[in-house]
Amino acid sequence: MFSNICNIRFYINVEMRVSMLNIKEIKENYRGKLLYSEYYGEIKEDLKKWLNHTKKQGKTIAIWGGNIKGVAFLDIFDPKNEYISYVIDIRATEGEYIKNRKVLSCYDLGGKSIDTILFLNQKHIVQNLDIIKNEGISCDTYDVDEIVKRSLTFEDIMNHRDLEDDINAKEEMTKKIQNELMPLLEEVDRVCKKNDIQYFLCAGSALGAVR
């Protein structure tokens, strides 16, 4: 009898915790949708038109960002799961799904058939572009925050006007990093030569600064 009571209490506690988690998730998703409905409001129709056009071309679309912003984006732009196939996230776990889309790790994109990626967080875009390059992925990329900031139209999105500033910013950042790396490389070179140590440079190091 005592064992049965304990089991009942255990199951009640588990059910209550699961229910609380579900309620918390629902509240977070609702809050995100309210917040970003206004944020995406001005470009909603143009971006939806672009999503529909891109999907009709047979292209696979993914969004980069699985947090509250990503969930809100899916709710607002693709509630019927018509356009977006994947969610890419740096914290992806095996077998994870968001709104019925498989979540992919940004470090495990090799071999995946993705034609177009929408970046949802502009402050990470330079890093994300480098990850894509290092993963050997060749695809179209779009900066959604820039589309919002500049209220780009369907035609603007088609002409890739969203990434104009990002490309320039990436080039400036690369030059700045290379300028910082050169003195370090010169010191490594000095120490290696002094101690008769052979070394080489490969992709992702100061090789670009030397070139």
PDB file of all heavy atoms in Angstrom, residues 45-58:
ATOM      1  N   GLU A  45       5.221  40.617 -45.707  1.00  0.00           N
ATOM      2  CA  GLU A  45       4.664  40.193 -46.997  1.00  0.00           C
ATOM      3  C   GLU A  45       5.752  39.981 -48.040  1.00  0.00           C
ATOM      4  O   GLU A  45       5.702  39.020 -48.818  1.00  0.00           O
ATOM      5  CB  GLU A  45       3.643  41.218 -47.490  1.00  0.00           C
ATOM      6  CG  GLU A  45       2.407  41.320 -46.614  1.00  0.00           C
ATOM      7  CD  GLU A  45       1.748  39.963 -46.396  1.00  0.00           C
ATOM      8  OE1 GLU A  45       1.620  39.206 -47.389  1.00  0.00           O
ATOM      9  OE2 GLU A  45       1.388  39.661 -45.242  1.00  0.00           O
ATOM     10  N   ASP A  46       6.752  40.860 -48.083  1.00  0.00           N
ATOM     11  CA  ASP A  46       7.837  40.724 -49.067  1.00  0.00           C
ATOM     12  C   ASP A  46       8.681  39.484 -48.796  1.00  0.00           C
ATOM     13  O   ASP A  46       9.064  38.775 -49.737  1.00  0.00           O
ATOM     14  CB  ASP A  46       8.721  41.973 -49.042  1.00  0.00           C
ATOM     15  CG  ASP A  46       8.069  43.161 -49.731  1.00  0.00           C
ATOM     16  OD1 ASP A  46       8.024  43.160 -50.971  1.00  0.00           O
ATOM     17  OD2 ASP A  46       7.582  44.052 -49.030  1.00  0.00           O
ATOM     18  N   LEU A  47       8.968  39.218 -47.521  1.00  0.00           N
ATOM     19  CA  LEU A  47       9.781  38.047 -47.203  1.00  0.00           C
ATOM     20  C   LEU A  47       9.002  36.759 -47.443  1.00  0.00           C
ATOM     21  O   LEU A  47       9.561  35.759 -47.901  1.00  0.00           O
ATOM     22  CB  LEU A  47      10.279  38.112 -45.754  1.00  0.00           C
ATOM     23  CG  LEU A  47      11.348  37.082 -45.369  1.00  0.00           C
ATOM     24  CD1 LEU A  47      12.532  37.118 -46.328  1.00  0.00           C
ATOM     25  CD2 LEU A  47      11.837  37.309 -43.936  1.00  0.00           C
ATOM     26  N   LYS A  48       7.706  36.780 -47.150  1.00  0.00           N
ATOM     27  CA  LYS A  48       6.879  35.607 -47.442  1.00  0.00           C
ATOM     28  C   LYS A  48       6.829  35.346 -48.949  1.00  0.00           C
ATOM     29  O   LYS A  48       6.870  34.196 -49.397  1.00  0.00           O
ATOM     30  CB  LYS A  48       5.459  35.816 -46.904  1.00  0.00           C
ATOM     31  CG  LYS A  48       5.248  35.306 -45.493  1.00  0.00           C
ATOM     32  CD  LYS A  48       3.769  35.206 -45.170  1.00  0.00           C
ATOM     33  CE  LYS A  48       3.552  34.458 -43.875  1.00  0.00           C
ATOM     34  NZ  LYS A  48       2.116  34.289 -43.570  1.00  0.00           N
ATOM     35  N   LYS A  49       6.733  36.421 -49.719  1.00  0.00           N
ATOM     36  CA  LYS A  49       6.734  36.285 -51.185  1.00  0.00           C
ATOM     37  C   LYS A  49       8.045  35.685 -51.648  1.00  0.00           C
ATOM     38  O   LYS A  49       8.066  34.818 -52.535  1.00  0.00           O
ATOM     39  CB  LYS A  49       6.518  37.659 -51.812  1.00  0.00           C
ATOM     40  CG  LYS A  49       6.447  37.656 -53.331  1.00  0.00           C
ATOM     41  CD  LYS A  49       6.204  39.059 -53.866  1.00  0.00           C
ATOM     42  CE  LYS A  49       6.179  39.074 -55.396  1.00  0.00           C
ATOM     43  NZ  LYS A  49       5.955  40.455 -55.917  1.00  0.00           N
ATOM     44  N   TRP A  50       9.158  36.119 -51.036  1.00  0.00           N
ATOM     45  CA  TRP A  50      10.475  35.578 -51.392  1.00  0.00           C
ATOM     46  C   TRP A  50      10.584  34.103 -50.996  1.00  0.00           C
ATOM     47  O   TRP A  50      11.119  33.285 -51.764  1.00  0.00           O
ATOM     48  CB  TRP A  50      11.577  36.387 -50.713  1.00  0.00           C
ATOM     49  CG  TRP A  50      12.933  35.816 -50.949  1.00  0.00           C
ATOM     50  CD1 TRP A  50      13.761  36.046 -52.006  1.00  0.00           C
ATOM     51  CD2 TRP A  50      13.617  34.863 -50.119  1.00  0.00           C
ATOM     52  NE1 TRP A  50      14.907  35.308 -51.888  1.00  0.00           N
ATOM     53  CE2 TRP A  50      14.848  34.570 -50.740  1.00  0.00           C
ATOM     54  CE3 TRP A  50      13.306  34.242 -48.916  1.00  0.00           C
ATOM     55  CZ2 TRP A  50      15.761  33.677 -50.187  1.00  0.00           C
ATOM     56  CZ3 TRP A  50      14.213  33.355 -48.361  1.00  0.00           C
ATOM     57  CH2 TRP A  50      15.428  33.087 -49.006  1.00  0.00           C
ATOM     58  N   LEU A  51      10.089  33.754 -49.813  1.00  0.00           N
ATOM     59  CA  LEU A  51      10.120  32.353 -49.364  1.00  0.00           C
ATOM     60  C   LEU A  51       9.345  31.467 -50.343  1.00  0.00           C
ATOM     61  O   LEU A  51       9.812  30.382 -50.715  1.00  0.00           O
ATOM     62  CB  LEU A  51       9.516  32.229 -47.964  1.00  0.00           C
ATOM     63  CG  LEU A  51      10.382  32.697 -46.793  1.00  0.00           C
ATOM     64  CD1 LEU A  51       9.544  32.794 -45.521  1.00  0.00           C
ATOM     65  CD2 LEU A  51      11.557  31.754 -46.572  1.00  0.00           C
ATOM     66  N   ASN A  52       8.174  31.913 -50.744  1.00  0.00           N
ATOM     67  CA  ASN A  52       7.347  31.153 -51.672  1.00  0.00           C
ATOM     68  C   ASN A  52       8.046  31.003 -53.021  1.00  0.00           C
ATOM     69  O   ASN A  52       8.071  29.914 -53.613  1.00  0.00           O
ATOM     70  CB  ASN A  52       6.005  31.857 -51.852  1.00  0.00           C
ATOM     71  CG  ASN A  52       5.049  31.062 -52.728  1.00  0.00           C
ATOM     72  OD1 ASN A  52       4.808  29.885 -52.515  1.00  0.00           O
ATOM     73  ND2 ASN A  52       4.487  31.726 -53.733  1.00  0.00           N
ATOM     74  N   HIS A  53       8.653  32.094 -53.509  1.00  0.00           N
ATOM     75  CA  HIS A  53       9.374  32.065 -54.790  1.00  0.00           C
ATOM     76  C   HIS A  53      10.559  31.102 -54.724  1.00  0.00           C
ATOM     77  O   HIS A  53      10.786  30.314 -55.656  1.00  0.00           O
ATOM     78  CB  HIS A  53       9.863  33.476 -55.120  1.00  0.00           C
ATOM     79  CG  HIS A  53      10.780  33.539 -56.303  1.00  0.00           C
ATOM     80  ND1 HIS A  53      10.321  33.548 -57.606  1.00  0.00           N
ATOM     81  CD2 HIS A  53      12.142  33.578 -56.385  1.00  0.00           C
ATOM     82  CE1 HIS A  53      11.350  33.598 -58.426  1.00  0.00           C
ATOM     83  NE2 HIS A  53      12.464  33.623 -57.722  1.00  0.00           N
ATOM     84  N   THR A  54      11.317  31.175 -53.630  1.00  0.00           N
ATOM     85  CA  THR A  54      12.511  30.329 -53.482  1.00  0.00           C
ATOM     86  C   THR A  54      12.129  28.859 -53.391  1.00  0.00           C
ATOM     87  O   THR A  54      12.795  27.996 -53.983  1.00  0.00           O
ATOM     88  CB  THR A  54      13.305  30.754 -52.225  1.00  0.00           C
ATOM     89  OG1 THR A  54      13.628  32.142 -52.335  1.00  0.00           O
ATOM     90  CG2 THR A  54      14.585  29.948 -52.092  1.00  0.00           C
ATOM     91  N   LYS A  55      11.073  28.564 -52.653  1.00  0.00           N
ATOM     92  CA  LYS A  55      10.627  27.170 -52.511  1.00  0.00           C
ATOM     93  C   LYS A  55      10.125  26.618 -53.838  1.00  0.00           C
ATOM     94  O   LYS A  55      10.373  25.451 -54.175  1.00  0.00           O
ATOM     95  CB  LYS A  55       9.525  27.069 -51.453  1.00  0.00           C
ATOM     96  CG  LYS A  55       9.239  25.649 -51.010  1.00  0.00           C
ATOM     97  CD  LYS A  55      10.445  25.042 -50.313  1.00  0.00           C
ATOM     98  CE  LYS A  55      10.156  23.634 -49.848  1.00  0.00           C
ATOM     99  NZ  LYS A  55      11.317  23.017 -49.168  1.00  0.00           N
ATOM    100  N   LYS A  56       9.461  27.446 -54.624  1.00  0.00           N
ATOM    101  CA  LYS A  56       8.968  27.000 -55.928  1.00  0.00           C
ATOM    102  C   LYS A  56      10.103  26.656 -56.877  1.00  0.00           C
ATOM    103  O   LYS A  56       9.916  25.879 -57.817  1.00  0.00           O
ATOM    104  CB  LYS A  56       8.076  28.085 -56.554  1.00  0.00           C
ATOM    105  CG  LYS A  56       6.669  28.118 -55.969  1.00  0.00           C
ATOM    106  CD  LYS A  56       5.803  29.137 -56.673  1.00  0.00           C
ATOM    107  CE  LYS A  56       4.386  29.097 -56.157  1.00  0.00           C
ATOM    108  NZ  LYS A  56       3.518  30.102 -56.825  1.00  0.00           N
ATOM    109  N   GLN A  57      11.276  27.234 -56.616  1.00  0.00           N
ATOM    110  CA  GLN A  57      12.451  26.909 -57.426  1.00  0.00           C
ATOM    111  C   GLN A  57      13.083  25.577 -56.997  1.00  0.00           C
ATOM    112  O   GLN A  57      14.090  25.172 -57.569  1.00  0.00           O
ATOM    113  CB  GLN A  57      13.489  28.021 -57.315  1.00  0.00           C
ATOM    114  CG  GLN A  57      13.073  29.312 -58.006  1.00  0.00           C
ATOM    115  CD  GLN A  57      14.159  30.365 -57.949  1.00  0.00           C
ATOM    116  OE1 GLN A  57      14.793  30.582 -56.909  1.00  0.00           O
ATOM    117  NE2 GLN A  57      14.427  31.008 -59.068  1.00  0.00           N
ATOM    118  N   GLY A  58      12.493  24.944 -55.995  1.00  0.00           N
ATOM    119  CA  GLY A  58      12.992  23.649 -55.539  1.00  0.00           C
ATOM    120  C   GLY A  58      14.173  23.740 -54.585  1.00  0.00           C
ATOM    121  O   GLY A  58      14.891  22.757 -54.385  1.00  0.00           O
TER     122      GLY A  58
END
